[in-house]
């Protein structure tokens, strides 16, 4: 079986695209760099929407990126089961695209914050978290200005009931996220949005820990386990 | 020329940290009886020519989906009659 | 709209109307300078020419007061093979081995950051990043050295919060890790905050680009943001000349940054370099198009013709004079061969960047600027860009300095803590002081992780970034200055800044290679200030010669004063080092239970200008610590030699050994059990700020090896204790402080100032 | 109860990168003839009791100096007559 292809989308203003690509490569992926203006997923088996300030995040984070040609492809393929991980700005884009419920607003303390953050992985059955032990606590960087996750109570209750809160802040909420939510998933566990940055924690030389790597190895195990290698996606993009 | 104002505010049930910060600041600076402050955005859009039905419909759609995030925000669209020739 | 019957002040008109009154004085041009312009041109300047000369001959662009002194950096330049491009270009370039070159520079944006802190600081970062980009390098990190007024002053929170948010807002949005800096509060900066921003870039040797326009027929392209009326408040006098009744529109003096545009500019420019599409390149910063065109032309081998009406505008009412002087941000100018222009434009389109061919390189010798069909500028470009006035301003040692230096902080006059309890309280008050407390309120607003190559950043002594993932080669940078030392003695103050920055780089295990500096002073028209400036430059040049580290470039910021009162001399020094394998770096973080703590270097009674004196008495008097650059070099080579044995290292500087030890405990959450050397009074051992010192931890097994190496290097090495598991700083016979007792004031101070 | 709207916009001569981003996005999404977009803020302030002269004066001062940054922004203050009882 060939190596799984993981695409990393670059929007104008993406900043962590190189880091996300590096992390996926370290996890063993064949990394494909995707361009926001293109309309071809290049046969990718999974896609990462990286952090940054797409289009300057001027209107609302992720609001403009959502309308890019590449996102049209990603949204369609994600509805057909393509694993997608949105980190920070990528999470915002996923919410703006309505692939994930809720939205991300300005941090409650109104400052950009960059710090090493403890989070607990609460769902280790998604495509992007299956390599974590149950209820595992990790430390990875969080860095955002608009990272407060908000949704109405019904949506929040629904996410909790369905086990779709995949990660929660512990030891202090960095941005006022409702119910300390750091990351959520869609119903099928293939699309994950995460505010902290696992791609900055893949080795202890450049990150606070190497705790972020399992996000990237998870999708590799997911893709390699029978039935999930989706050569079918070629059909979607063709 | 047409001039359109689109005002976008967070829905009442959504926490507004910026508005809260402004409320506190107003209070600290001596303004009494401030009950609530909400902070939103206003876009002033200048269009060439006049606003025909097609562009009006598109503009409403874009206000609802691009300028506002319908999950957390409401929008109001007004044509600035004075500025609109 | 008013109809304007604008008279274009052409070269021809200037030649035939020699006697028209020109508002040169309002533009800051001196009578003799105006006369010189007339002499150079053989006629009166056109209003556009006057605009160009006035900005290019300003203090900021021409260095007219500082030039005669800055020459020493060249004259006293140490012999080095590392310098690939020296002073004079946008930034110096240093060879860091393996075919890699690094360019770095620090620049001030002080005054704008007082007027509008957020935008002033943001555009300061933006400007220095473009300088680095213009050398052909990919920007890889930024740093910021900040000075604010008194913590208790009502204006301080406005200035601090705006500046910090601006540095972060711009740098974060560009995706450049912030790897360090300084943040100092002192009443002398009230009304004169300092924002010194540094950027580092890396490139392969063959990618070095210079700002020159050569090759007749090559095209001059302006790309990036549209030009607006930013930062041209002053030139409006010219515009009003040219209009009849109605004055020009109001022009903003404040420049607003668009970091998103700058990010596009970076990616687009790097793509052009990679495709070899650029013959010469210049960023647009201060003095905008006037500067870019005259410098490119002057460094080239021919002339240049510019068609000014082609410049894309944000504001259609701008006059040609204003377009020439606009300081709109996020613009670059490139010289491109005609056969490459399509490829160049394709890259711009891919990144949604507006690009316009505005002129070409000619076989003439003049820079000519046309406005539609009229020739409005026709000048020898060197006379604008390089042959500005040079002043030999009078300087003299201020009379008050003798009294200040004689005012030694003796124990009789200013009693010192003696008992264990007093010493403990002194340490706690330093930890909770504005300048020594945790910088986290600031640094947590900066992204230090982006790009994935940050090996050390705040709160480490120097920032380290990896430049090559395959070889693990990296660079280390630190920015430092204690301006109170400069207030006591500017010559020594500059050398002490150099000494500290050098040490901060050295304690990480890196080899210091080169210097950049930002010289922040008061008004050069005050002979006392001019003397301080001259002394600081002399000190820095002498120091760099001794250390073997050339000054590669920097920036001068004068007129930092309110009324008659100048800021303390603040020569901020940036030291760049190289480390061949970043995995071997040494950090403050580290050390295991049982490790031995060694104090490297020699402690003397040196209190004047130091943090204890500042916090306890706010006293400025006496002589600063003695400079000993030979000892700094010995310390640096010792640490480099034994770095594999060190489990952690931290320099001893502001606040002395007490603060260095406290910072180790706070960072590592372990304990230190310390016995101070008996021969020194405890207060001196703890709070003196003697140079060339560091504390390191080593495993018991390695102690002998490190002691032997220290002896061989001539560095005093004193075992002063060991690492314990009980999370407290225990100074035998003095005091014991739990980590949490120290953390509380240390963490609370900045948030309290900002509340 | 009084309800006050304060709208803060960048002065016309000041660069508005946010507005420019919105203008480009509107264009990309098919809205033709967009000449200019400026993006500002709107604050909705709810006060207890009615707006007496003192509070009105203070509010104007705070709008000018706190809500707007007078170096780069202008403000407009309106009392929302409908909502103001
Ligand atoms: N304005 C700033 N920007 C970025 N980093 C800063 C700033 N101020 C301080 N720091 C960082 O905080 C840490 C502590 O600062 P400081 O005590 O001044 O260091 P040092 O004494 O080693 O020069 C250092 O890592 C420094 O780089
Ligand atoms: Mg240090």
């Amino acid at each position: 079986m060939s190596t799984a292809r993981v695409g990393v989308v670059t929007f104008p203003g993406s900043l962590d695209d190189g880091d996300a690509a590096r992390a996926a490569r370290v996890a063993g992926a064949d990394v494909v760099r995707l361009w926001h203006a293109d309309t071809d997923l290049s046969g990718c088996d999974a896609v990462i929407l990286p952090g940054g300030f797409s289009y300057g995040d001027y209107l609302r984070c992720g609001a403009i990126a959502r309308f890019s040609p590449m996102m049209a492809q990603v949204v369609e393929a994600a509805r057909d089961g393509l694993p997608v991980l949105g980190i920070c700005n990528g999470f915002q884009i996923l919410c703006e695209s309505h692939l994930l419920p809720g939205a991300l607003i300005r941090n409650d303390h109104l400052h950009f914050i960059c710090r090493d953050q403890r989070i607990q992985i609460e769902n280790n059955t998604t495509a992007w978290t299956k390599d974590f032990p149950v209820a595992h606590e990790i430390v990875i960087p969080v860095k955002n200005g608009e990272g407060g996750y908000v949704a109405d109570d019904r949506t929040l209750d629904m996410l909790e009931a369905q086990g779709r809160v995949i990660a929660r802040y512990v030891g202090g909420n960095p941005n006022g996220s409702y119910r300390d939510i750091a990351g959520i998933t869609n119903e099928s566990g293939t699309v994950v949005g995460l505010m902290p940055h696992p791609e900055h924690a893949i080795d202890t030389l450049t990150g606070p820990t190497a705790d972020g790597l399992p996000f990237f190895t998870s999708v590799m195990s997911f893709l390699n386990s029978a039935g999930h290698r989706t050569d079918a996606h070629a059909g979607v993009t063709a | 020329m047409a001039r359109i104002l689109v005002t976008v505010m967070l829905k009442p049930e959504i926490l507004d940290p910026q508005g809260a910060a402004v409320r506190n600041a107003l209070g600290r600076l001596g303004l009494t009886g401030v009950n609530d402050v909400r902070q939103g955005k206003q876009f002033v859009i200048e269009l060439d020519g006049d606003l025909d039905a097609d562009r009006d419909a598109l503009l409403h759609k874009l206000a609802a989906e691009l300028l506002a995030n319908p999950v957390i925000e409401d929008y109001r669209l007004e044509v600035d009659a004075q500025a609109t020739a | 709209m008013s109809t304007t019957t604008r008279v274009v002040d052409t070269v021809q008109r200037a030649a035939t109307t020699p006697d028209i009154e020109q508002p040169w004085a309002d533009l800051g041009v001196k009578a003799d300078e105006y006369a010189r312009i007339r002499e150079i041109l053989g006629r009166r300047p056109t209003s556009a020419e006057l605009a160009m000369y006035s900005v290019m001959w300003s203090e900021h662009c021409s260095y007219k007061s500082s030039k005669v002194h800055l020459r020493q950096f060249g004259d006293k330049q140490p012999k080095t093979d590392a310098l690939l491009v020296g002073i004079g270009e946008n930034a110096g370039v240093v060879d860091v081995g393996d075919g890699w070159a690094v360019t770095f520079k620090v620049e001030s944006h002080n005054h704008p950051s007082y007027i509008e802190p957020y935008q002033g600081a943001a555009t300061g970062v933006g400007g220095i990043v473009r300088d680095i980009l213009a050398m052909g390098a990919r920007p890889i990190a930024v740093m910021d050295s900040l000075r604010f007024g008194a913590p208790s002053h009502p204006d301080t929170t406005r200035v601090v919060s705006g500046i910090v948010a601006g540095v972060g807002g711009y740098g974060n949005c560009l995706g450049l890790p912030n790897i360090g800096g300084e943040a100092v509060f002192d009443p002398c900066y009230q009304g004169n905050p300092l924002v010194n921003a540094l950027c580092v870039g890396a490139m392969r040797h063959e990618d070095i680009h210079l700002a020159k326009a050569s090759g007749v027929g090559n095209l001059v392209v302006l790309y990036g943001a549209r030009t607006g009326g930013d930062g041209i408040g002053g030139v409006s006098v010219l515009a009003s000349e040219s209009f009849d009744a109605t004055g020009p529109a109001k022009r903003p003096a404040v420049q607003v940054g668009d970091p998103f545009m700058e990010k596009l500019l970076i990616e687009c420019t790097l793509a052009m370099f990679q495709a070899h599409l650029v013959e010469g390149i210049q960023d647009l910063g201060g003095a905008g198009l006037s500067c870019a065109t005259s410098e490119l032309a002057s460094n080239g081998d021919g002339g240049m013709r510019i068609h000014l009406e082609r410049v894309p505008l944000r504001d259609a009412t701008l006059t040609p004079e204003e377009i020439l002087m606009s300081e709109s941000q996020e613009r670059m100018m490139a010289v491109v061969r005609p056969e490459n222009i399509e490829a160049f434009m394709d890259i711009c389109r891919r990144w949604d960047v507006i690009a316009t061919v505005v002129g070409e390189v000619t076989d003439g010798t003049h820079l000519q600027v046309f406005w539609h069909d009229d020739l409005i500028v026709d000048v020898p470009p060197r006379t604008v860009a390089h042959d500005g006035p040079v002043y030999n301003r009078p300087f003299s040692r201020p009379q008050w300095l003798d009294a200040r230096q004689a005012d030694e902080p003796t124990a009789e006059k200013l009693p010192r803590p003696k008992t264990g309890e007093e010493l403990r309280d002194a340490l706690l008050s330093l930890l909770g002081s504005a300048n020594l407390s945790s910088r986290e309120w600031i640094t947590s607003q900066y992204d230090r992780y982006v790009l994935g190559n940050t090996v050390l950043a705040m709160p480490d002594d120097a920032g380290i970034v990896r430049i090559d993932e395959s070889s693990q080669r990296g660079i280390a940078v630190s920015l430092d200055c204690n301006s109170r030392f400069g207030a006591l003695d500017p010559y020594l103050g500059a050398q002490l800044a150099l000494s500290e920055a050098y040490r901060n780089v050295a304690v990480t295990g890196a080899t210091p290679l080169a210097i950049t500096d930002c010289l922040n002073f008061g008004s050069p028209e005050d002979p006392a200030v001019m003397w301080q400036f001259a002394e600081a430059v002399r000190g820095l040049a002498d120091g760099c010669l001794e250390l073997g580290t050339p000054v590669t470039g920097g920036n001068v910021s004068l007129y930092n004063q309110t009324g008659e009162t100048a800021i303390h001399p603040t020569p901020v020094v940036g030291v760049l080092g190289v480390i061949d394998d970043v995995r071997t770096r040494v950090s403050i973080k580290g050390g295991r239970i049982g490790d031995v703590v060694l104090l490297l270097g020699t402690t003397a009674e040196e209190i004047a200008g130091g943090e204890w004196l500042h916090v306890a008495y706010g006293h400025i008097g006496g002589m600063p610590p003695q400079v000993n650059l030979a000892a700094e070099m010995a310390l640096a080579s010792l640490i480099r030699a034994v770095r594999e044995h060190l489990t952690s290292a931290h320099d001893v500087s502001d606040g002395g050994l007490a603060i260095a030890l406290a910072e180790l405990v706070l960072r590592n959450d372990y304990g230190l059990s310390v016995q101070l050397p008996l021969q020194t009074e405890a207060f001196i051992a703890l709070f003196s700020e003697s140079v060339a010192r560091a504390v390191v931890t080593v495993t018991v097994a390695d102690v002998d090896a490190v002691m032997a190496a220290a002896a061989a290097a001539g560095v005093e090495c004193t075992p002063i204790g060991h690492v314990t598991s009980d999370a407290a700083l225990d100074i035998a016979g003095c005091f014991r402080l739990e980590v949490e007792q120290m953390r509380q004031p240390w963490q609370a101070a900045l948030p309290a100032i900002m509340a």
Side-chain angles (χ1 to χ4, degrees), chain A, chain B, chain C:
Chain A
M1 194 161 63
S2 64
T3 316
R5 286 162 74 79
V6 174
V8 176
V9 182
T10 298
F11 300 93
S14 290
L15 305 178
D16 300 318
D17 45 343
D19 294 58
R22 183 194 292 112
R25 210 178 305 116
V26 170
D30 178 8
V31 174
V32 183
R33 303 298 289 266
L34 301 172
W35 181 244
H36 72 107
D38 290 342
T39 51
D40 184 354
L41 282 175
S42 305
C44 284
D45 303 302
V47 166
I48 301 175
L49 307 176
F53 293 78
S54 56
Y55 297 92
D57 274 357
Y58 282 136
L59 172 57
R60 248 185 350 268
C61 302
I64 299 179
R66 168 208 168 182
F67 291 99
S68 67
M70 182 54 71
M71 273 314 292
Q73 302 300 309
V74 170
V75 168
E76 196 179 325
R79 296 219 162 99
D80 289 340
L82 178 82
V84 180
L85 172 65
I87 305 170
C88 195
N89 196 226
F91 186 7
Q92 293 157 339
I93 296 170
L94 289 174
C95 288
E96 286 282 341
S97 308
H98 310 306
L99 281 174
L100 293 174
L104 293 139
I105 63 165
R106 189 82 186 273
N107 295 349
D108 57 354
H109 46 80
L110 306 180
H111 294 295
F112 184 93
I113 185 165
C114 172
R115 77 176 190 205
D116 302 339
Q117 176 70 42
R118 286 164 56 201
I119 60 174
Q120 172 147 329
I121 304 297
E122 302 212 335
N123 176 338
N124 67 343
T125 65
T126 76
W128 299 91
T129 55
K130 67 199 302 273
D131 282 0
F132 285 104
V134 192
H136 189 58
E137 190 178 307
I138 63 175
V139 174
I140 60 178
V142 67
K143 48 166 212 184
N144 58 67
E146 304 192 17
Y149 181 76
V150 298
D152 56 35
D153 283 334
R154 228 190 33 189
T155 307
L156 292 168
D157 292 341
M158 182 263 299
L159 288 173
E160 303 271 13
Q162 298 179 356
R164 286 167 56 189
V165 174
I166 63 122
R168 231 183 276 267
Y169 300 116
V170 286
N173 181 332
N175 46 32
S177 269
Y178 284 8
R179 304 192 190 180
D180 296 332
I181 289 173
I184 58 171
T185 185
N186 64 347
E187 267 172 87
S188 61
T190 47
V191 177
V192 164
L194 188 66
M195 198 30 68
H197 289 261
E199 79 283 18
H200 293 324
I202 59 161
D203 71 48
T204 53
L205 181 67
T206 55
T209 62
D211 291 353
L213 198 55
F215 283 97
F216 305 93
T217 58
S218 288
V219 76
M220 299 303 287
S221 345
F222 176 83
L223 293 170
N224 288 330
S225 61
H228 293 302
R229 272 306 284 287
T230 48
D231 294 327
H233 290 314
V236 176
T237 60
Chain B
M1 206 204 71
R3 188 180 156 104
I4 291 98
L5 303 183
V6 178
T7 313
V8 173
M9 300 295 292
L10 282 169
K11 294 187 200 254
E13 66 271 21
I14 299 284
L15 183 76
D16 176 5
Q18 310 192 83
V22 171
R23 193 190 57 199
N24 294 338
L26 290 175
R28 260 198 316 276
L29 294 170
L31 192 68
T32 52
V34 185
N35 221 331
D36 190 29
V37 179
R38 306 285 292 174
Q39 178 173 339
K41 298 175 192 152
Q42 185 167 83
F43 303 89
V44 181
I45 302 171
E46 273 184 28
L47 294 182
D48 285 337
D50 45 57
L51 192 62
D52 52 31
D54 278 2
R55 286 209 296 177
D56 186 60
L58 182 56
L59 203 53
H60 266 93
K61 187 172 138 65
L62 292 173
E65 291 173 13
L66 172 71
L67 301 184
N69 175 351
V71 176
I72 50 169
E73 294 169 326
D74 296 321
Y75 79 97
R76 204 175 62 236
L77 189 153
E78 308 155 77
V79 178
D80 180 346
Q82 272 179 334
T84 300
Chain C
M1 276 203 105
S2 59
T3 49
T4 51
T5 51
R6 182 155 201 283
V7 186
V8 179
D9 193 26
T10 62
V11 168
Q12 197 187 8
R13 181 165 173 270
T16 55
T17 55
D19 300 325
I20 282 185
E21 281 279 328
Q22 292 190 285
W24 45 267
D26 295 335
L27 292 168
V29 175
K30 299 276 171 343
D32 56 328
E33 292 171 353
Y34 181 67
R36 226 182 105 218
I37 297 169
R38 293 191 72 126
E39 188 187 75
I40 288 169
L41 299 176
R43 56 174 164 79
R44 77 161 173 88
T46 64
S47 57
E49 287 166 341
L50 183 57
M52 283 182 92
Y53 280 105
S54 75
V55 278
M56 291 300 291
W57 286 13
S58 69
E59 187 65 61
H60 178 68
C61 292
S62 74
Y63 291 82
K64 56 189 170 190
S65 301
S66 52
K67 225 177 204 164
V68 291
H69 301 283
L70 298 179
R71 288 200 182 111
Q72 293 174 72
F73 293 142
D75 297 344
K76 297 181 188 169
Q77 186 176 300
K79 287 219 181 331
T80 168
D81 299 328
L83 198 59
L84 300 174
V85 175
I87 293 183
E89 286 294 332
N90 284 312
V93 183
V94 181
D95 178 10
V96 294
D98 278 356
W100 283 102
V102 162
T103 176
F104 73 126
K105 188 179 173 190
V106 55
E107 203 163 74
S108 65
H109 222 217
N110 302 340
H111 188 60
S113 301
Y114 177 63
I115 307 283
E116 197 342 76
Y118 184 97
Q119 295 297 345
T123 52
V125 173
I128 190 63
V129 169
R130 284 193 302 281
D131 264 326
I132 294 307
L133 181 62
M135 295 307 298
R138 172 176 274 281
I140 55 171
V142 296
M143 298 178 95
D144 58 314
S145 168
L146 310 177
R147 297 287 182 292
F148 309 114
S152 56
H153 192 283
D155 194 37
T156 297
T157 52
R158 171 192 76 99
V159 175
V160 177
S161 60
I163 286 174
V164 171
V167 169
Y170 206 99
N172 295 343
C173 195
L174 285 187
L176 293 176
N178 186 312
I179 59 167
E182 298 178 282
V184 177
F185 294 80
D186 191 293
C188 76
Y189 302 109
Q190 206 70 59
N192 285 289
L194 304 184
V195 174
N196 292 183
L198 177 146
C199 180
V200 203
M203 68 193 127
R204 303 298 297 168
H205 282 194
E206 60 274 18
D207 292 332
I208 297 175
H209 278 72
L210 298 177
K212 63 175 203 244
S214 46
V216 175
N218 284 346
L219 303 173
V220 178
V221 191
L222 178 66
Y223 65 107
R226 290 171 182 276
T227 299
D230 311 62
I232 53 176
V235 218
S236 311
V237 296
L238 272 175
S240 59
E241 294 278 297
S242 326
F243 284 94
D244 53 7
T246 60
K250 203 158 164 276
R251 304 301 186 210
V254 176
Q255 304 144 27
V256 171
D258 180 356
F260 172 59
M261 173 58 80
E262 181 122 322
K263 169 70 178 165
L264 301 183
L265 212 51
I266 293 173
E267 296 305 332
C268 164
T269 303
L270 291 171
M272 292 164 187
F273 289 152
Q274 206 167 22
H276 303 289
L277 300 177
V278 173
E279 305 304 307
I281 187 156
Q282 173 71 300
D283 60 295
L284 276 78
L289 276 167
S290 294
C291 180
T293 53
S294 64
E295 288 194 350
L296 277 169
S298 150
N299 298 340
D301 46 20
M304 185 187 281
R305 187 183 307 123
I306 297 291
H307 305 275
L308 206 57
E309 75 282 358
R310 295 186 193 167
V311 171
L313 300 181
R314 198 173 84 223
D315 171 355
T317 69
L318 291 182
T319 65
E321 294 83 0
E322 290 174 324
I323 297 169
L324 279 171
M325 295 177 73
S326 160
E327 297 192 345
S328 283
Q329 302 291 299
E330 292 96 20
R331 297 178 299 163
M332 301 280 285
M333 181 166 270
V335 179
V336 182
R337 289 172 188 272
E339 62 266 31
N340 288 334
I341 194 69
E342 256 324 296
F344 184 101
M345 293 298 182
D346 280 344
I347 291 179
C348 288
R349 267 190 295 274
R350 179 175 169 86
W351 288 99
D352 250 328
V353 168
I354 300 175
T356 315
V357 174
V358 295
E360 55 273 324
V361 178
T362 64
D363 58 3
T365 55
H366 276 208
L367 167 62
Q368 298 186 312
V369 178
F370 288 85
W371 179 246
H372 299 284
D373 295 325
D374 293 324
L375 179 65
I376 58 168
V377 170
D378 189 5
V379 297
R382 257 205 90 76
T383 64
V384 180
H386 296 295
D387 299 339
V390 176
Y391 292 163
N392 257 304
R393 292 200 187 270
F395 56 92
S396 60
R397 188 171 192 278
Q399 277 167 2
W400 44 260
L401 195 60
D402 284 336
R404 181 178 279 185
Q405 291 182 343
D407 185 16
E408 285 285 351
T410 58
E412 294 70 49
K413 207 161 49 192
L414 304 169
R416 300 167 178 182
K418 277 196 206 64
T419 65
E421 207 172 322
E422 286 167 356
L423 291 163
R424 190 197 63 176
D425 291 348
L427 174 54
L428 286 175
S429 69
L430 286 195
L431 284 171
S433 70
N435 293 338
L436 292 184
S437 53
S438 168
R439 309 287 91 182
E440 199 180 328
W441 189 91
I442 295 170
T443 59
S444 68
Q445 298 188 46
Y446 302 157
D447 181 352
R448 60 181 178 279
Y449 286 115
V450 65
L451 298 181
N453 288 313
T454 305
V455 175
L456 292 184
M458 41 275 197
D460 264 294
D461 290 325
I464 289 192
V465 280
R466 178 172 62 188
I467 57 176
D468 187 335
E469 268 182 69
S470 53
S471 70
Q472 302 289 339
R473 181 169 291 271
I475 50 136
V477 193
S478 180
L479 269 180
D480 286 287
C481 178
N482 175 345
S483 66
R484 290 188 307 268
F485 292 156
L488 297 177
D489 185 313
Y491 180 90
L492 297 177
Q495 293 198 335
L496 287 164
L498 172 65
S499 190
E500 185 184 349
Y502 185 93
R503 189 181 330 133
N504 274 321
V505 165
V507 290
T508 67
T511 308
L513 270 190
I515 304 311
T516 180
D517 64 87
C518 193
L519 305 172
N520 307 276
F521 287 77
S523 166
E525 292 161 34
D526 176 347
V529 170
M530 206 55 221
W531 178 83
Q532 291 176 320
F533 179 81
E535 282 295 285
V537 172
R538 193 170 66 85
L540 191 55
D542 289 348
C544 288
L545 182 58
E546 188 174 347
L547 289 174
T549 49
V551 175
T552 63
N555 178 239
V556 175
S557 170
L558 301 174
Y559 297 101
N560 294 291
Q561 69 178 58
T562 310
E564 294 293 291
T565 321
I567 60 166
H568 292 333
T570 313
V572 172
V573 178
V575 169
L576 172 92
V578 63
I579 181 161
D580 51 10
D581 182 345
V582 291
R583 290 168 301 193
T584 67
R585 87 320 187 172
V586 193
S587 160
I588 303 180
K589 194 165 171 56
R592 282 173 294 260
I593 314 299
D595 280 2
V596 173
V597 182
L598 301 175
L599 170 62
L600 304 177
T602 308
T603 306
E605 177 172 342
E606 296 181 304
I607 295 299
E611 289 294 336
W612 172 77
L613 195 61
H614 177 64
V615 170
Y617 294 106
H619 176 88
I620 301 251
M623 286 302 285
Q626 218 177 2
V627 172
N628 189 343
L629 298 176
E632 291 291 359
M633 285 192 280
L635 178 70
S637 49
L638 171 64
I639 288 179
R640 203 153 54 240
V642 300
R643 68 181 181 210
E644 314 269 354
H645 292 309
L646 306 181
T647 51
S648 75
H650 186 19
D651 76 310
V652 178
S653 52
D654 303 338
L657 180 65
I659 286 293
L661 295 173
E663 285 174 347
L664 278 175
V665 170
L666 285 162
R667 181 76 195 276
N668 291 294
D669 279 313
Y670 53 40
L672 289 178
S673 167
V674 174
Q675 296 84 41
L676 295 175
L678 290 174
Q679 64 277 20
T680 324
E681 183 196 336
F683 165 75
I684 298 299
L686 287 171
F687 295 106
S688 165
E689 298 193 7
S690 298
V691 301
R693 295 183 302 157
V695 277
V696 298
T697 56
V698 297
T699 58
V700 174
D702 286 337
V703 171
D704 289 345
V706 173
M707 301 263 308
V715 175
E716 198 175 314
C717 176
T718 319
I720 57 166
H722 60 276
V723 177
T724 65
S725 59
D726 72 348
L729 175 61
D730 188 310
I731 313 269
C734 283
F735 61 82
R736 180 190 147 88
L737 274 171
E738 308 284 333
V739 181
E740 292 314 315
Q741 279 175 288
M742 298 194 285
R743 196 185 308 284
Q744 202 285 326
W746 183 68
Q747 271 183 344
L750 275 194
I753 292 171
M754 297 310 299

